[in-house]
C-alpha cells in the first residue's frame, strides 16, 4: 500500500509540473528554459530512469503522466489494494 501511495504522489507531482509547463507562455529553445521544469518535485528520483526518459522524449508529456496514474490505479484495483465500491471508484476516471 505504501509503495502505491508514494508512486501516486510522485506521479501527481510530475503531472502538475508538466501541466504548468504546457500552459506556460512563450517559445523556449530547450526544456531547461521552461520555468515549470525548474519547480521542485516530490522525490522525482523515486521514479525509474526509463520513465523519466520517456517523459522527456514524449510529445504528449501530460497525457503520458495521466495515463500512468490511471494505470497504477487500475493495477491496484485488481491486486486488492484499492477495495472501493465501483460507483465511488469510477469517479477517479471522470
Amino acid at each position: 500500500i505504501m509503495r502505491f501511495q508514494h508512486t501516486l504522489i510522485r506521479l501527481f507531482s510530475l503531472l502538475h509540473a508538466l501541466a504548468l509547463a504546457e500552459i506556460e507562455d512563450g517559445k523556449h529553445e530547450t526544456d531547461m528554459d521552461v520555468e515549470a521544469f525548474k519547480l521542485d518535485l516530490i522525490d522525482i528520483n523515486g521514479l525509474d530512469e526509463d520513465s523519466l526518459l520517456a517523459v522527456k522524449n514524449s510529445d504528449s508529456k501530460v497525457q503520458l503522466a495521466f495515463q500512468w496514474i490511471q494505470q497504477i490505479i487500475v493495477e491496484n484495483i485488481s491486486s486488492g489494494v484499492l477495495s472501493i465500491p465501483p460507483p465511488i471508484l469510477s469517479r477517479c476516471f471522470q
Side-chain angles (χ1 to χ4, degrees):
I1 294 175
M2 293 300 289
R3 182 178 178 155
F4 164 72
Q5 291 175 340
H6 287 222
T7 304
L8 193 62
I9 288 169
R10 289 178 184 109
L11 288 173
F12 269 108
S13 177
L14 177 64
L15 178 68
H16 181 76
L18 294 172
L20 287 173
E22 189 168 297
I23 62 173
E24 188 174 310
D25 289 336
K27 297 289 181 185
H28 303 286
E29 291 184 25
T30 67
D31 285 344
M32 294 310 298
D33 295 334
V34 178
E35 289 297 318
F37 289 154
K38 297 175 185 174
L39 298 173
D40 289 333
L41 299 177
I42 298 174
D43 190 23
I44 195 65
N45 296 324
L47 299 174
D48 62 285
E49 278 189 46
D50 291 338
S51 296
L52 296 175
L53 189 59
V55 170
K56 182 178 180 180
N57 295 330
S58 176
D59 292 331
S60 305
K61 294 172 176 40
V62 174
Q63 292 81 358
L64 179 60
F66 186 69
Q67 176 63 36
W68 287 344
I69 290 169
Q70 286 185 325
Q71 180 179 348
I72 195 172
I73 290 171
V74 169
E75 287 172 358
N76 284 278
I77 292 168
S78 61
S79 70
V81 171
L82 294 174
S83 57
I84 302 168
I88 296 171
L89 185 60
S90 69
R91 300 284 188 237
C92 73
F93 297 107
Q94 295 177 354

